[in-house]
Amino acid sequence: MTLTATEGNAGHGPHVPDPNADAERIAWQAATSSEDRRRVLRWTCQCKPVMYSLVTAGGRGYIERTGKGAIAQTHRMTHSDVATLWERILLGQAQ
């Protein structure tokens, strides 16, 4: 399954499925202060207890996870690497 940029819309992004039993474990870290030119490109539906956002800033990208009153982020990575990780989250292949 290939995801496209048009999936999800303002206020309602795609639903994240429960992760597969063999899903990759993402190394989440505490959120750092927001960059000056941060741009949220995509997000998941807010109806779930955990919401994910695909963010770009300073020529790099990362995923932000919000839930249970805490915010965590992945490390900064290339746009192609963060796009691959985003797709894996949406397919239940990473958590």
Side-chain angles (χ1 to χ4, degrees), residues 53-75:
S53 300
L54 174 60
V55 182
T56 185
R60 307 283 281 173
Y62 60 95
I63 308 252
E64 188 169 86
R65 181 183 69 188
T66 306
K68 300 179 185 172
I71 300 174
Q73 298 171 341
T74 62
H75 66 279

Side-chain angles (χ1 to χ4, degrees), residues 1-49:
M1 173 180 171
T2 301
L3 301 171
T4 66
T6 60
E7 293 190 33
N9 56 50
H12 192 286
H15 292 123
V16 177
D18 291 332
N20 301 335
D22 60 345
E24 169 191 354
R25 301 287 298 182
I26 298 170
W28 296 102
Q29 57 193 27
T32 60
S33 59
S34 195
E35 297 85 356
D36 291 336
R37 297 183 62 141
R38 167 187 152 110
R39 183 172 174 210
V40 178
L41 300 176
R42 296 185 185 96
W43 50 90
T44 61
C45 185
Q46 298 174 11
C47 71
K48 297 277 190 168

